[in-house]
Amino acid sequence: MPKNSGNTQSSSDAVETKPAYATATPGLSKRPRLIANGPRALMWYLLSLLVIGLDQWTKWIANTKLNFHEPVPVIEPILNWTLAYNYGAAFSFLADQGGWQKWFFAGLSLAMSVFLVVYLTRAPRQAKLLNVGLALILGGAIGNLIDRVRIGKVIDFIHVHYADVWHYPIFNIADIAICVGVAIVVIDMLFLEGKRNTKYQA
């Protein structure tokens, strides 16, 4: 009987080998991750230092150039420079106490500052507006903390009013930074955090 030709392939060789392709399963594509600031928090600390420097410089000018409670008109009839001292919290809250409030509010400011220093390293790098707000609050808190520890009171000098009809409590640069920073953080929480969590994976 004739023998099989040498060209005859075995059944195993005759099976076509299909190329292996990686198949993408819908819905499993990974979103980019949120990355913590880490060492990059330094740039936000520099913003805080800028606030502290501006706050302390303007307070020094006010304390050396202005007389206590003697208004200097800047924009009539809505803005004066008026030197004032605050022994309490915002709007002179607890200012008339026996002195314990100095250390109470200094302790609160210190605790808040330490929290913000740590939190800025953990805040998402992508949340730039949030980081700006936190840095402003940190700078303002430390600016007023320096006053409380150094002289036992906070120097205020920005006096917004309308003639002699309405007067807003006198404030300073640190107060502005804190208020603007809080507003920015609230805006981020209300309008940006949800979108960020949708776009990025925690």
Side-chain angles (χ1 to χ4, degrees):
M1 295 180 63
K3 294 181 180 179
N4 290 336
S5 166
N7 294 331
T8 305
Q9 294 179 327
S10 65
S11 59
S12 61
D13 293 335
V15 177
E16 267 188 47
T17 306
K18 295 184 179 180
Y21 294 101
T23 56
T25 307
L28 291 183
S29 57
K30 289 185 178 180
R31 293 173 294 166
R33 298 185 67 89
L34 287 171
I35 303 172
N37 279 320
R40 290 198 181 184
L42 177 62
M43 64 182 291
W44 305 116
Y45 296 152
L46 292 177
L47 176 57
S48 298
L49 285 174
L50 179 63
V51 171
I52 295 168
L54 181 61
D55 174 67
Q56 291 296 304
W57 177 61
T58 53
K59 285 175 177 174
W60 175 79
I61 293 176
N63 206 33
T64 54
K65 303 294 184 182
L66 300 176
N67 295 320
F68 183 70
H69 274 191
E70 289 187 11
V72 175
V74 180
I75 304 175
E76 289 283 10
I78 60 173
L79 177 65
N80 293 339
W81 299 146
T82 303
L83 179 64
Y85 300 124
N86 184 1
Y87 294 86
F91 308 115
S92 297
F93 177 63
L94 294 180
D96 57 349
Q97 300 301 304
W100 59 268
Q101 75 274 20
K102 164 190 171 180
W103 300 111
F104 175 73
F105 290 120
L108 284 180
S109 297
L110 179 61
M112 176 62 70
S113 300
V114 171
F115 169 79
L116 290 172
V117 166
V118 175
Y119 189 73
L120 270 169
T121 64
R122 301 178 181 178
R125 188 180 300 175
Q126 294 89 338
K128 290 184 171 57
L129 192 63
L130 173 64
N131 288 317
V132 168
L134 295 173
L136 290 176
I137 297 172
L138 176 61
I142 294 179
N144 283 338
L145 174 62
I146 291 172
D147 284 13
R148 295 187 191 282
V149 173
R150 187 172 63 89
I151 58 176
K153 56 194 175 186
V154 174
I155 299 172
D156 294 324
F157 63 93
I158 303 173
H159 182 194
V160 175
H161 64 101
Y162 180 71
D164 286 327
V165 178
W166 173 82
H167 295 266
Y168 191 79
I170 303 173
F171 55 96
N172 56 44
I173 299 297
D175 297 332
I176 295 175
I178 292 172
C179 291
V180 173
V182 169
I184 290 175
V185 170
V186 171
I187 290 171
D188 181 86
M189 290 172 57
L190 293 178
F191 302 106
L192 301 178
E193 186 176 12
K195 295 179 181 179
R196 188 165 57 245
N197 291 338
T198 300
K199 183 177 180 180
Y200 297 98
Q201 183 179 4

